[in-house]
């Protein structure tokens, strides 16, 4: 007996954008490599896209191609670095960090401010894709405006147990910007300390009922689909793993403590990642995130709009 999965957001516009970008990217690379007249394009935009969104997607492909051809390398081995820091080092222990700094010097980044680039270790292992201006100014303005409607959900944790991520020490207001704070959402969280099969996944409390966040998720279909398409080029294995994970959630909803609501959220969840954080006007100390792997890239999108 077969079971039909519900229509997931990731199998809608996100999949369409990724399919186009993966087909188009070889042409864009050839264009950047060629000194002759550019060859005619053979990959057309989906017919339902507007001209402005088609241009946004092509802009993203161009920025990725420029980064592909501008690589910067460290003079050290990333695997050696990972072995030395150990599995539980949070990166804010001063003595050990000072020792590590002597052997693993950071690269100079002043010349990278406006240059799309990749950063790799001495053996070519990719560490960072740096993609400035990959979103058009109009898209950034639109996303900033949409975030303004979420300000009441953005909070700073003033409790005594708050850490630097959510506590008040690193948040600073900026005139004309969003209020400082953060919120985190996911259709299926692992609670800290409960990462075992006997514990159910949990829908984020801010997503338990329809509100401005669920409206925001639906409204941001195109930017989230575009971000998914970008990931499908710069880290295709991670993109595919994210798609599979979200489909697995939909195929086995009883692993959630609220399966009906989780399925409702998956129908409007266009990000390829299973969790999303909005961080407003926070400085970030140098640190290390534990529990990850080298191939598990975070995708950080910086949206700035000058009022």
């Amino acid at each position: 007996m077969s079971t039909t999965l519900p229509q997931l957001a990731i199998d809608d516009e996100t999949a369409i954008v990724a399919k186009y970008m993966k087909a188009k990217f070889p042409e864009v690379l050839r264009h950047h490599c060629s000194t002759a007249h550019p060859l005619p394009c053979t990959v057309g935009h989906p017919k339902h896209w507007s001209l402005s969104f088609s241009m946004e997607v092509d802009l993203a492909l161009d920025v990725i191609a420029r980064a592909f051809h501008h690589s910067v390398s460290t003079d050290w081995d990333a695997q050696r670095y990972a072995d030395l820091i150990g599995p539980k080092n949070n990166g804010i222990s001063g003595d050990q960090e000072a020792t590590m700094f002597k052997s693993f010097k950071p690269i100079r980044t002043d010349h990278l401010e406006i240059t799309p680039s990749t950063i790799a270790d001495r053996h070519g292992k990719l560490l960072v894709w740096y993609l400035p201006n990959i979103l058009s100014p109009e898209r950034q303005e639109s996303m900033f405006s949409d975030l303004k409607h979420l300000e009441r959900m953005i909070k700073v944790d003033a409790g005594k147990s708050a850490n630097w991520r959510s506590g008040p020490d690193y948040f600073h207001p900026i005139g004309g910007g969003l209020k400082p704070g953060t919120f985190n959402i996911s259709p299926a969280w692992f609670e800290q300390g409960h990462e075992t099969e006997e514990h159910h996944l949990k829908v984020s409390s801010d997503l338990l009922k329809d509100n401005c966040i669920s409206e925001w998720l639906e409204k941001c279909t195109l930017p989230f689909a575009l971000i998914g398409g970008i990931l499908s080029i710069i880290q295709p294995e991670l993109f595919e793993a994210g798609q599979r994970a979200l489909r697995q959630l939909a195929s086995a909803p009883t692993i959630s403590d609220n399966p009906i609501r989780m399925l409702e959220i998956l129908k409007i969840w266009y990000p390829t990642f299973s969790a999303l954080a909005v961080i407003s006007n926070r400085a970030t100390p140098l640190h290390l995130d534990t529990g990850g792997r080298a191939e598990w890239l975070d995708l950080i999108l910086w949206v700035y709009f000058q009022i």
Side-chain angles (χ1 to χ4, degrees):
M1 179 177 176
S2 61
T3 302
T4 302
L5 291 180
Q7 179 63 39
L8 303 182
I10 55 162
D11 290 324
D12 188 11
E13 202 62 44
T14 303
I16 293 171
V17 174
K19 181 179 179 181
Y20 169 80
M21 292 183 74
K22 286 188 283 189
K24 181 73 174 179
F25 189 58
E27 283 190 359
V28 178
L29 277 181
R30 286 196 297 271
H31 172 73
H32 277 264
C33 292
S34 176
T35 57
H37 293 293
L39 297 173
C41 297
T42 61
V43 180
H45 300 107
K47 292 183 178 180
H48 68 281
W49 285 4
S50 67
L51 175 61
S52 61
F53 186 64
S54 299
M55 293 174 66
E56 285 186 66
V57 177
D58 288 346
L59 168 65
L61 285 167
D62 183 71
V63 172
I64 296 170
R66 284 191 281 145
F68 189 86
H69 290 295
H70 187 265
S71 184
V72 180
S73 299
T74 70
D75 60 3
W76 41 264
D77 181 333
Q79 187 59 55
R80 177 63 175 158
Y81 178 83
D83 291 342
L84 288 176
I85 62 175
K88 297 297 183 181
N89 182 4
N90 61 12
I92 55 177
S93 53
D95 292 342
Q96 182 174 3
E97 292 308 302
T99 301
M100 296 283 286
F101 185 84
K102 294 178 181 179
S103 300
F104 300 93
K105 297 288 187 182
I107 63 169
R108 289 188 59 186
T109 58
D110 50 335
H111 63 294
L112 297 180
E113 184 175 350
I114 59 172
T115 305
S117 308
T118 59
I119 301 175
D121 76 351
R122 64 189 300 177
H123 302 298
K125 181 177 292 185
L126 198 62
L127 305 175
V128 175
W129 284 84
Y130 177 63
L131 305 169
N133 299 315
I134 196 166
L135 297 184
S136 69
E138 294 78 14
R139 177 58 65 189
Q140 293 192 55
E141 178 181 350
S142 173
M143 295 182 74
F144 181 88
S145 177
D146 291 339
L147 284 170
K148 290 288 286 185
H149 297 294
L150 297 180
E151 278 197 306
R152 63 187 177 88
M153 310 300 293
I154 297 174
K155 300 173 183 176
V156 174
D157 186 353
K160 293 182 178 179
S161 61
N163 59 28
W164 67 263
R165 298 176 188 274
S166 58
D169 293 344
Y170 289 93
F171 288 96
H172 305 285
I174 295 177
L178 296 176
K179 78 173 187 180
T182 184
F183 70 80
N184 301 274
I185 54 173
S186 171
W189 278 123
F190 270 120
E191 282 192 304
Q192 191 170 8
H194 294 75
E195 298 94 343
T196 55
E197 291 184 0
E198 70 252 32
H199 298 287
H200 283 84
L201 303 177
K202 292 185 177 294
V203 178
S204 297
S205 58
D206 286 333
L207 291 175
L208 289 176
K209 57 184 180 180
D210 289 337
N211 53 28
C212 61
I213 294 181
S214 53
E215 293 173 2
W216 173 69
L217 285 171
E218 291 190 80
K219 191 173 183 180
C220 289
T221 299
L222 292 182
F224 284 139
L226 176 55
I227 292 166
I230 292 168
L231 184 67
S232 75
I233 301 297
I234 65 175
Q235 185 71 334
E237 295 88 355
L238 186 59
F239 173 80
E240 295 296 338
Q243 301 284 87
R244 288 196 303 272
L246 293 170
R247 293 187 191 110
Q248 182 64 28
L249 289 175
S251 68
T254 55
I255 64 177
S256 169
D257 67 339
N258 194 336
I260 294 176
R261 185 56 179 166
M262 184 188 73
L263 289 175
E264 291 173 345
I265 295 300
L266 288 175
K267 292 177 183 179
I268 59 172
W269 188 267
Y270 288 89
T272 303
F273 293 91
S274 60
L276 184 154
V278 172
I279 304 167
S280 173
N281 293 323
R282 188 191 73 191
T284 302
L286 292 173
H287 67 283
L288 299 170
D289 292 326
T290 60
R293 293 185 181 179
E295 60 270 25
W296 293 354
L297 297 182
D298 287 334
L299 197 155
I300 302 174
L301 175 65
W302 180 46
V303 175
Y304 174 78
F305 176 62
Q306 183 72 45
I307 294 180

